[in-house]
Amino acid sequence: MNYILLNKVEENEIANYMPSDKKLKDMACFFQNFADSTRLKIISALSINELCVNDLSSVLNINQTTISHQLKYLKNQAIVESKREGKIIKYSLQNQFINELMNYAIESLKQINF
């Protein structure tokens, strides 16, 4: 290809940096987890403390069925994990990276006055 602005070194640098098509699809799937305001509320709440469905429902003012459905989705996407303590199932973020990503997004929105 003939590029107007790129030289061969820059072209190679971009080609080497660009994720594979599979990785790009995986990334798109991952970021879809953050494209729903209910899921964002759940992730935000769980970034502060582990919670059960009832507590999430009360704190977020969202019915338990919706919370349970979204938790199942987030669990299948490896964003949220659960542990049973007697009759109660507690949910938490699967790893600290998700919390860091949320904090980064909030700070980024502040910077661009969004």
Side-chain angles (χ1 to χ4, degrees), residues 1-113:
M1 287 190 149
N2 293 329
Y3 296 103
I4 296 173
L5 299 176
L6 289 178
N7 62 40
K8 199 66 171 162
V9 171
E10 294 166 330
E11 177 188 354
N12 288 336
E13 184 177 330
I14 291 169
N16 289 334
Y17 179 79
M18 190 63 60
S20 68
D21 286 346
K22 182 186 180 331
K23 277 285 184 213
L24 289 170
K25 286 179 185 177
D26 291 346
M27 289 169 63
C29 184
F30 173 77
F31 281 110
Q32 282 179 343
N33 293 300
F34 305 94
D36 179 272
S37 61
T38 301
R39 287 194 293 265
L40 284 174
K41 287 178 183 179
I42 292 169
I43 292 168
S44 295
L46 294 177
S47 71
I48 298 166
N49 199 26
E50 64 181 10
L51 298 162
C52 66
V53 171
N54 188 56
D55 288 344
L56 280 165
S57 178
S58 295
V59 168
L60 303 177
N61 197 27
I62 300 170
N63 71 57
Q64 289 185 11
T65 303
T66 301
I67 295 287
S68 293
H69 174 75
Q70 294 299 337
L71 283 169
K72 181 179 178 184
Y73 180 88
L74 291 168
K75 195 172 177 184
N76 288 339
Q77 295 296 312
I79 303 291
V80 167
E81 62 186 2
S82 63
K83 67 179 177 185
R84 180 177 288 278
E85 291 185 8
K87 293 183 179 183
I88 296 174
I89 299 174
K90 292 183 176 181
Y91 293 89
S92 59
L93 296 180
Q94 191 160 325
N95 64 53
Q96 186 61 29
F97 172 73
I98 302 301
N99 190 33
E100 291 171 16
L101 182 62
M102 291 291 290
N103 288 334
Y104 181 78
I106 291 166
E107 290 304 314
S108 295
L109 290 175
K110 288 179 187 176
Q111 294 296 318
I112 60 173
N113 296 316

